[in-house]
Amino acid sequence: MKRSLDTILLIAAGLIIWQLLHMAVPYALTSPAGTAVKAWNMLNSATFWPHAAETGKAFLYALLLAIAGGLAIGLGLGLNRTSAEVAEPILVSVYSLPKVTLYPLILLIFGLGVPAKIAFGTLHGIIPIAIFAMNAVRNLAPVHLKTVKVLRLSRTQTLLTVFIPGALPEIVSGLRIGFSLTLLGVLIGEMFASQRGLGYLIMNAIGLHDVPTIMAVIAMLGIAAVLASAFMLWLDHRLHHRAA
Amino acid sequence: MNSAALQPAQSAHEPSKDVHAEMRGVTRVYGGDGKTGGVQALAATDLRLRRGEFYSVIGPSGCGKSTLLDVLAGLSRPTTGEVLFEGKSIDGRVPEGTGVVFQEDASFPWLTVADNIAFGLRRAGIDAAEIQRRLDYALKLMGLADFAKSYPSQLSGGMRQRVCIARTLVMQPRIILLDEPFGALDAQTRLIMGDELLKVWRETGATVVLITHALDEAAMLSDRIGIMSARPGKIIEEIKTQWPRDRDSRIAANPAFGEITARLWSVLRDESLKAIHQGNKSSAGLA
Amino acid sequence: MSRVGWIRLLVVGGFILAIELLCRTGMISPRVLIAPSDMAIRLYRLLLSGQANADIIETLGNVAISLVLSVSGGFAIGAAIHALPRLRRAIDPFLASYYALPFFAFYPLFIVMFGLGRGAVVAIGFLFGVVAMIIATLNGFDRIPRVLVRTAEVYHMGPVAAALRIKLPSAVPYLFTGVKLAIAYCFIGVIAAEFIMASSGLGYAIAYAFNNFDNGKMYALMFFIIVLVTIVNALFYTYERRLMRRWGR
Ligand SMILES: Nc1ncnc2c1ncn2[C@@H]1O[C@H](COP(=O)(O)OP(=O)(O)O)[C@@H](O)[C@H]1O
Ligand SMILES: [Mg+2]
């Protein structure tokens, strides 16, 4: 198919650029082939998997918390026009804060360990999900809200049969961004306040100037993120297409 | 086919003197603090609708037609005055027995045609067999039977509007309010849809209020036509047509059709000119 | 100020007051968080002493440079991708998952490429900001009404004139969103890079204070960043609102 061909071409172009960069600065950047070999070796070593599992677990909890909290905040605020208008600039401000600087605070509250990572991941992901969910509810078609009144639906019926399905496409768009940022949050958390996880592996490798390990971990994370994102994008297109 | 499928729960009447819905001195101001400022959309408006009649409201654009419909339906509160439906005052809530078809496409894009039409019935807890019966009838009546499983995005604008009309009809409303429902359709489709609406009106015995800006539509469909003034709108004249109950768009060949259209236009022309020149208030005119 | 504005002020004020009370009554230990008023006082002293000036100027410079690069670069790249629909479709999933990557890890690479100066930090700020701008540009160009594109054809406008006089203005609301996000992401990228790796700048100063158990200085600097980002956001938000109101959006 033409579409998969385009994707392959794009990936090939990316690999060629990567290879050229590697040839320009060989010590700072491992080649694509070298990275693949290193990644394969890591996947086959027993020491790698506990780190991956640790990151995966923290990420899963953080994502669940971010989705639940983000949807509750976003839907709750979006249902009322005034509360949405009050909250929007506040949420946007919080969103744009460099949350790294809050890391000391998180550490002081949660101590070193998994809870701090989860908290940090949630902190990154919850706001974009809330913002998208809130705007999704605010942007529901006014004529649908009128229809709800004409049919004399109860609040619960309205929420379940009009608000949520109507807002779903935008909510999925928010989840896509929330997903990425939650993962970023967990990884940053691991990078400088943990003895386990993929973020720790990267940080440790940076300290040892072990470039192949850095590249291999980032490449594996990148592939996982792209696959997850492609799935959500597919879902997104389906929902938006149906609504178009 | 069971033509009783969409009859309102109460038995239908011939057009009678019996007042079905009424607006008494209703005004509506948008924005402002209630006393000063804001846009007055409706001036003190009186309107009495007889049970089972077909009433059209015509007026220049922006004169307050949609506002009148929203207030009559209970979708927005009048600033002053009172709206009564079946003898009871309505305040801020749509009374049971009211159906509304909007100008915009109000179909839910996430539901199939059949699910859209059955939407209100399912929420009202009506039993499945009855839902299916009304659904089948409405799909046939609106010519949508082959599209029951399609999504609105796969339909033309006219078909989507028919979905919305069907969704309203299956609730068996005793009064049906339509806000320029055919505004987005081409001229021929409009005529056909008008005939369909007449058929529904005859078969259900419901009271119909049709908002329109098309002279011919008002003239050929209605028992009575209310003409609205430029904003702030109110009904300044009512015209009776005396058409037989059994009629369709071919009535345009009747000489009376031309007379009614001409009378409508003679009143409406002045109001439309006023409405257009409302945009020039600050300048001294074009002289 | 509008009613909504007052409510917002009340909400934020109430929140700060609540934290203040929790800290002052000792419900929150000073080892975890110091009272906001204390942060403000310490920040005031810090600014007076001039100790932090070099770091502040360094960070603001880094953010400004990476912002200009991300906005102009992101617009150009976004416009180019939009002109190539096949590339566009193929690249979408990559753009969407971009922000999950911890590019800080490329810091050593950037030091090799750009040297020990601010280049590496700016590069990370740019990497953070540019993709938000690319995505916003694509969004904006997607939503240009077809009728406007055809109007350009009716007036026989060339591709460049059409892009500048029709497409750019009609995509402006989305470009604004892109700039807003780019501001946020440049701050995030620059400060995070400084925090984790660099040896100067505000992020570094916070990390340094943290490692030396100097809570007072740490919170004063965090407070400074929060206030700074909020002010930059508020200014931009107001400007955008005014422009959009004039255009009736
Ligand atoms: N929600 C609203 N807020 C403020 N003004 C409104 C609102 N809705 C309608 N108007 C104004 O009220 C007047 C009448 O509107 P409307 O009833 O929609 O007119 P019509 O349906 O006859 O075109 C118009 O001038 C319109 O601008
Ligand atoms: Mg209208």
Side-chain angles (χ1 to χ4, degrees), chain B residues 28-31 38-42 59-70 103 179-180 211-213 228-229 231-233 278:
Chain B
R28 180 71 170 92
V29 179
Y30 286 112
V39 176
Q40 179 160 23
L42 278 186
S61 77
C63 74
K65 300 186 294 294
S66 296
T67 307
L68 181 139
L69 179 123
D70 277 5
Q103 177 170 9
D179 189 357
E180 305 195 19
I211 308 272
T212 178
H213 59 248
M228 281 182 81
S229 65
R231 188 174 61 81
Q278 271 176 351

Side-chain angles (χ1 to χ4, degrees), chain A residues 34-58:
Chain A
T35 306
V37 169
K38 178 72 195 173
W40 181 250
N41 290 340
M42 287 177 83
L43 286 174
N44 285 318
S45 81
T47 49
F48 172 77
W49 289 103
H51 290 293
E54 171 95 359
T55 301
K57 198 175 71 183

Side-chain angles (χ1 to χ4, degrees), chain B residues 207-226:
Chain B
T207 308
V208 169
V209 178
L210 174 71
I211 308 272
T212 178
H213 59 248
L215 296 165
D216 57 341
E217 209 166 271
M220 73 177 71
L221 298 177
S222 327
D223 293 324
R224 282 197 301 152
I225 304 153

